[in-house]
Amino acid sequence: MDYALQTRNLAKNFGGFTATNNVSLNVEAGARHALIGPNGAGKTTLINLLTGFLEPTAGHVILQGEDVTRLGQHQRVKRGLARTFQINRLFADLTVLESVTMAVNERLGLGARFWKPVGAHGQAVEEAVALLDSLRLLDVAHEKTRSLAYGKQRLIEIALALAMKPRVLLLDEPAAGVPTTESRELFESIAALPRDVTILLIEHDMDLVFRFADRISVLVGGALLTHGTPEVIANDPKVREVYLGEAICA
């Protein structure tokens, strides 16, 4: 099996509190893999361990076959791992095109040339335009990010992550705070991304999860409860018990 991202007995303790409890996770290359669980299950902590924002107490993180457990965040980005956050981190006073071009410039090693305008490098601009086109953002390319609807802003953050040309993209609640009409458009754009980008996402909207994911892992109390296809998860009595009998899919 070709795995893009794996963990082996990954654990994180904060004093006497265990936030991540021996999690062994396999994310197949090209997968649309969702990580779900009730509030406080440890999902964001796990993402922070995967990206190097937090150091594990024990265990390993393996990215495309390489153990990256001791590598910093920027080193993992260079090896093809990118993420978004629950709260947008955007350049509010730049246009959408300027923002994405700046991210491309950074990946190409042109970011230090601060005396040149953002759009001075034609290759970066062309790549940014193509990326915006793939995410259906060309119509707002010349608008400032702060003026856009929140759903569009979430897409821009994804564009910034994709500008780093990741092989694995981690999405931390991409639909959080986004109105329902916009969240469906958001997930349509995410679903249309090429399969050479593996996606692992955290999301609370179960309707979106079951429409998008081809594999689901359930985290409870920092530990992996179960994993499987959407059909398996939807009919798992352990999962239904965790969600107190609530419907977990549309």
PDB file of all heavy atoms in Angstrom, residues 37 42 51 60 70 72 77-78 133 139 143 147 167 179 189 191 195-196 210 245 248:
ATOM      1  N   GLY A  37     -14.532  13.421  15.225  1.00  0.00           N
ATOM      2  CA  GLY A  37     -14.611  13.095  16.642  1.00  0.00           C
ATOM      3  C   GLY A  37     -15.259  14.233  17.391  1.00  0.00           C
ATOM      4  O   GLY A  37     -15.334  15.367  16.891  1.00  0.00           O
ATOM      5  N   GLY A  42      -9.002  15.674  20.435  1.00  0.00           N
ATOM      6  CA  GLY A  42      -7.572  15.757  20.163  1.00  0.00           C
ATOM      7  C   GLY A  42      -7.224  15.889  18.696  1.00  0.00           C
ATOM      8  O   GLY A  42      -6.073  15.685  18.302  1.00  0.00           O
ATOM      9  N   THR A  51       2.328  18.417  11.636  1.00  0.00           N
ATOM     10  CA  THR A  51       3.002  19.529  10.961  1.00  0.00           C
ATOM     11  C   THR A  51       4.270  19.977  11.657  1.00  0.00           C
ATOM     12  O   THR A  51       5.024  20.777  11.105  1.00  0.00           O
ATOM     13  CB  THR A  51       2.058  20.736  10.849  1.00  0.00           C
ATOM     14  OG1 THR A  51       1.625  21.132  12.166  1.00  0.00           O
ATOM     15  CG2 THR A  51       0.844  20.405   9.998  1.00  0.00           C
ATOM     16  N   HIS A  60       6.102   8.348  16.088  1.00  0.00           N
ATOM     17  CA  HIS A  60       6.745   8.812  14.865  1.00  0.00           C
ATOM     18  C   HIS A  60       5.723   9.355  13.869  1.00  0.00           C
ATOM     19  O   HIS A  60       4.576   8.904  13.821  1.00  0.00           O
ATOM     20  CB  HIS A  60       7.516   7.664  14.203  1.00  0.00           C
ATOM     21  CG  HIS A  60       8.603   7.105  15.067  1.00  0.00           C
ATOM     22  ND1 HIS A  60       9.878   7.604  15.068  1.00  0.00           N
ATOM     23  CD2 HIS A  60       8.586   6.096  15.984  1.00  0.00           C
ATOM     24  CE1 HIS A  60      10.621   6.937  15.935  1.00  0.00           C
ATOM     25  NE2 HIS A  60       9.853   6.024  16.505  1.00  0.00           N
ATOM     26  N   ARG A  70      11.463  14.527  13.841  1.00  0.00           N
ATOM     27  CA  ARG A  70      12.347  15.524  14.449  1.00  0.00           C
ATOM     28  C   ARG A  70      12.590  16.729  13.545  1.00  0.00           C
ATOM     29  O   ARG A  70      13.398  17.596  13.872  1.00  0.00           O
ATOM     30  CB  ARG A  70      13.685  14.876  14.822  1.00  0.00           C
ATOM     31  CG  ARG A  70      13.551  13.710  15.805  1.00  0.00           C
ATOM     32  CD  ARG A  70      12.791  14.115  17.051  1.00  0.00           C
ATOM     33  NE  ARG A  70      12.369  12.954  17.849  1.00  0.00           N
ATOM     34  CZ  ARG A  70      11.467  13.033  18.809  1.00  0.00           C
ATOM     35  NH1 ARG A  70      10.877  14.182  19.093  1.00  0.00           N
ATOM     36  NH2 ARG A  70      11.130  11.938  19.487  1.00  0.00           N
ATOM     37  N   GLY A  72      11.568  20.332  11.686  1.00  0.00           N
ATOM     38  CA  GLY A  72      10.766  21.509  11.974  1.00  0.00           C
ATOM     39  C   GLY A  72       9.664  21.710  10.954  1.00  0.00           C
ATOM     40  O   GLY A  72       9.593  21.019   9.926  1.00  0.00           O
ATOM     41  N   VAL A  77       7.321  21.411   5.309  1.00  0.00           N
ATOM     42  CA  VAL A  77       6.718  22.090   4.155  1.00  0.00           C
ATOM     43  C   VAL A  77       7.543  21.822   2.901  1.00  0.00           C
ATOM     44  O   VAL A  77       7.001  21.523   1.823  1.00  0.00           O
ATOM     45  CB  VAL A  77       6.600  23.606   4.415  1.00  0.00           C
ATOM     46  CG1 VAL A  77       6.204  24.337   3.134  1.00  0.00           C
ATOM     47  CG2 VAL A  77       5.575  23.885   5.512  1.00  0.00           C
ATOM     48  N   LYS A  78       8.858  21.914   3.016  1.00  0.00           N
ATOM     49  CA  LYS A  78       9.728  21.672   1.864  1.00  0.00           C
ATOM     50  C   LYS A  78       9.635  20.241   1.373  1.00  0.00           C
ATOM     51  O   LYS A  78       9.906  19.963   0.205  1.00  0.00           O
ATOM     52  CB  LYS A  78      11.173  22.008   2.234  1.00  0.00           C
ATOM     53  CG  LYS A  78      11.437  23.501   2.373  1.00  0.00           C
ATOM     54  CD  LYS A  78      12.901  23.784   2.677  1.00  0.00           C
ATOM     55  CE  LYS A  78      13.158  25.286   2.745  1.00  0.00           C
ATOM     56  NZ  LYS A  78      14.582  25.585   3.049  1.00  0.00           N
ATOM     57  N   ASP A 133      -7.524  29.868 -10.964  1.00  0.00           N
ATOM     58  CA  ASP A 133      -8.481  29.330 -11.919  1.00  0.00           C
ATOM     59  C   ASP A 133      -8.976  27.958 -11.460  1.00  0.00           C
ATOM     60  O   ASP A 133     -10.179  27.656 -11.535  1.00  0.00           O
ATOM     61  CB  ASP A 133      -7.824  29.231 -13.292  1.00  0.00           C
ATOM     62  CG  ASP A 133      -8.805  28.840 -14.388  1.00  0.00           C
ATOM     63  OD1 ASP A 133     -10.016  29.108 -14.229  1.00  0.00           O
ATOM     64  OD2 ASP A 133      -8.377  28.266 -15.401  1.00  0.00           O
ATOM     65  N   ASP A 139     -12.373  35.322 -10.767  1.00  0.00           N
ATOM     66  CA  ASP A 139     -13.269  36.479 -10.833  1.00  0.00           C
ATOM     67  C   ASP A 139     -13.020  37.473  -9.698  1.00  0.00           C
ATOM     68  O   ASP A 139     -13.464  38.626  -9.771  1.00  0.00           O
ATOM     69  CB  ASP A 139     -14.736  36.037 -10.822  1.00  0.00           C
ATOM     70  CG  ASP A 139     -15.103  35.231  -9.587  1.00  0.00           C
ATOM     71  OD1 ASP A 139     -14.229  34.512  -9.076  1.00  0.00           O
ATOM     72  OD2 ASP A 139     -16.257  35.319  -9.142  1.00  0.00           O
ATOM     73  N   GLU A 143      -9.433  41.689  -6.293  1.00  0.00           N
ATOM     74  CA  GLU A 143     -10.089  42.259  -5.116  1.00  0.00           C
ATOM     75  C   GLU A 143      -9.251  41.998  -3.869  1.00  0.00           C
ATOM     76  O   GLU A 143      -8.557  40.984  -3.781  1.00  0.00           O
ATOM     77  CB  GLU A 143     -11.490  41.660  -4.942  1.00  0.00           C
ATOM     78  CG  GLU A 143     -12.435  41.970  -6.086  1.00  0.00           C
ATOM     79  CD  GLU A 143     -13.835  41.440  -5.822  1.00  0.00           C
ATOM     80  OE1 GLU A 143     -14.207  41.360  -4.633  1.00  0.00           O
ATOM     81  OE2 GLU A 143     -14.528  41.107  -6.795  1.00  0.00           O
ATOM     82  N   SER A 147     -12.202  42.143   1.592  1.00  0.00           N
ATOM     83  CA  SER A 147     -13.515  42.532   1.081  1.00  0.00           C
ATOM     84  C   SER A 147     -14.373  41.331   0.687  1.00  0.00           C
ATOM     85  O   SER A 147     -15.546  41.504   0.357  1.00  0.00           O
ATOM     86  CB  SER A 147     -13.350  43.447  -0.140  1.00  0.00           C
ATOM     87  OG  SER A 147     -12.823  42.721  -1.249  1.00  0.00           O
ATOM     88  N   ARG A 167       2.381  17.696  -1.378  1.00  0.00           N
ATOM     89  CA  ARG A 167       1.882  16.373  -1.735  1.00  0.00           C
ATOM     90  C   ARG A 167       0.796  15.949  -0.767  1.00  0.00           C
ATOM     91  O   ARG A 167      -0.039  15.102  -1.083  1.00  0.00           O
ATOM     92  CB  ARG A 167       3.028  15.351  -1.720  1.00  0.00           C
ATOM     93  CG  ARG A 167       4.153  15.669  -2.688  1.00  0.00           C
ATOM     94  CD  ARG A 167       3.665  15.752  -4.123  1.00  0.00           C
ATOM     95  NE  ARG A 167       3.061  14.506  -4.556  1.00  0.00           N
ATOM     96  CZ  ARG A 167       3.753  13.484  -5.041  1.00  0.00           C
ATOM     97  NH1 ARG A 167       5.054  13.551  -5.151  1.00  0.00           N
ATOM     98  NH2 ARG A 167       3.127  12.389  -5.445  1.00  0.00           N
ATOM     99  N   PRO A 179     -21.114  30.032   5.838  1.00  0.00           N
ATOM    100  CA  PRO A 179     -22.532  29.718   5.619  1.00  0.00           C
ATOM    101  C   PRO A 179     -22.708  28.485   4.748  1.00  0.00           C
ATOM    102  O   PRO A 179     -21.852  28.165   3.922  1.00  0.00           O
ATOM    103  CB  PRO A 179     -23.061  30.977   4.912  1.00  0.00           C
ATOM    104  CG  PRO A 179     -22.113  32.060   5.305  1.00  0.00           C
ATOM    105  CD  PRO A 179     -20.774  31.407   5.444  1.00  0.00           C
ATOM    106  N   SER A 189     -14.876  22.858  -4.696  1.00  0.00           N
ATOM    107  CA  SER A 189     -13.562  23.266  -5.189  1.00  0.00           C
ATOM    108  C   SER A 189     -12.469  22.366  -4.631  1.00  0.00           C
ATOM    109  O   SER A 189     -11.527  21.993  -5.340  1.00  0.00           O
ATOM    110  CB  SER A 189     -13.282  24.728  -4.801  1.00  0.00           C
ATOM    111  OG  SER A 189     -14.200  25.599  -5.421  1.00  0.00           O
ATOM    112  N   ALA A 191     -12.866  19.241  -3.640  1.00  0.00           N
ATOM    113  CA  ALA A 191     -13.039  17.913  -4.235  1.00  0.00           C
ATOM    114  C   ALA A 191     -12.476  17.852  -5.649  1.00  0.00           C
ATOM    115  O   ALA A 191     -12.085  16.775  -6.121  1.00  0.00           O
ATOM    116  CB  ALA A 191     -14.517  17.533  -4.238  1.00  0.00           C
ATOM    117  N   ARG A 195      -5.728  14.369  -7.781  1.00  0.00           N
ATOM    118  CA  ARG A 195      -5.470  13.313  -6.808  1.00  0.00           C
ATOM    119  C   ARG A 195      -3.991  13.159  -6.468  1.00  0.00           C
ATOM    120  O   ARG A 195      -3.644  12.343  -5.607  1.00  0.00           O
ATOM    121  CB  ARG A 195      -6.012  11.990  -7.333  1.00  0.00           C
ATOM    122  CG  ARG A 195      -7.526  11.889  -7.245  1.00  0.00           C
ATOM    123  CD  ARG A 195      -7.966  11.489  -5.846  1.00  0.00           C
ATOM    124  NE  ARG A 195      -9.417  11.512  -5.701  1.00  0.00           N
ATOM    125  CZ  ARG A 195     -10.069  10.958  -4.682  1.00  0.00           C
ATOM    126  NH1 ARG A 195      -9.398  10.343  -3.725  1.00  0.00           N
ATOM    127  NH2 ARG A 195     -11.377  11.045  -4.606  1.00  0.00           N
ATOM    128  N   ASP A 196      -3.111  13.912  -7.123  1.00  0.00           N
ATOM    129  CA  ASP A 196      -1.717  13.868  -6.700  1.00  0.00           C
ATOM    130  C   ASP A 196      -1.504  14.658  -5.409  1.00  0.00           C
ATOM    131  O   ASP A 196      -0.409  14.659  -4.840  1.00  0.00           O
ATOM    132  CB  ASP A 196      -0.764  14.347  -7.798  1.00  0.00           C
ATOM    133  CG  ASP A 196      -1.029  15.777  -8.248  1.00  0.00           C
ATOM    134  OD1 ASP A 196      -1.967  16.408  -7.731  1.00  0.00           O
ATOM    135  OD2 ASP A 196      -0.294  16.252  -9.125  1.00  0.00           O
ATOM    136  N   PHE A 210     -19.233  13.138   4.767  1.00  0.00           N
ATOM    137  CA  PHE A 210     -19.651  11.920   4.093  1.00  0.00           C
ATOM    138  C   PHE A 210     -19.823  12.108   2.584  1.00  0.00           C
ATOM    139  O   PHE A 210     -19.796  11.131   1.837  1.00  0.00           O
ATOM    140  CB  PHE A 210     -20.932  11.381   4.731  1.00  0.00           C
ATOM    141  CG  PHE A 210     -20.665  10.599   5.991  1.00  0.00           C
ATOM    142  CD1 PHE A 210     -20.495  11.247   7.205  1.00  0.00           C
ATOM    143  CD2 PHE A 210     -20.549   9.226   5.953  1.00  0.00           C
ATOM    144  CE1 PHE A 210     -20.232  10.538   8.362  1.00  0.00           C
ATOM    145  CE2 PHE A 210     -20.277   8.501   7.108  1.00  0.00           C
ATOM    146  CZ  PHE A 210     -20.119   9.160   8.316  1.00  0.00           C
ATOM    147  N   GLY A 245     -26.213   8.879  19.510  1.00  0.00           N
ATOM    148  CA  GLY A 245     -27.379   8.536  18.720  1.00  0.00           C
ATOM    149  C   GLY A 245     -27.733   9.548  17.660  1.00  0.00           C
ATOM    150  O   GLY A 245     -28.705   9.369  16.928  1.00  0.00           O
ATOM    151  N   ILE A 248     -25.058  10.855  11.918  1.00  0.00           N
ATOM    152  CA  ILE A 248     -23.705  11.269  11.596  1.00  0.00           C
ATOM    153  C   ILE A 248     -23.464  11.412  10.098  1.00  0.00           C
ATOM    154  O   ILE A 248     -22.363  11.647   9.653  1.00  0.00           O
ATOM    155  CB  ILE A 248     -22.670  10.294  12.191  1.00  0.00           C
ATOM    156  CG1 ILE A 248     -22.880   8.888  11.624  1.00  0.00           C
ATOM    157  CG2 ILE A 248     -22.725  10.287  13.693  1.00  0.00           C
ATOM    158  CD1 ILE A 248     -21.759   7.915  11.985  1.00  0.00           C
TER     159      ILE A 248
END
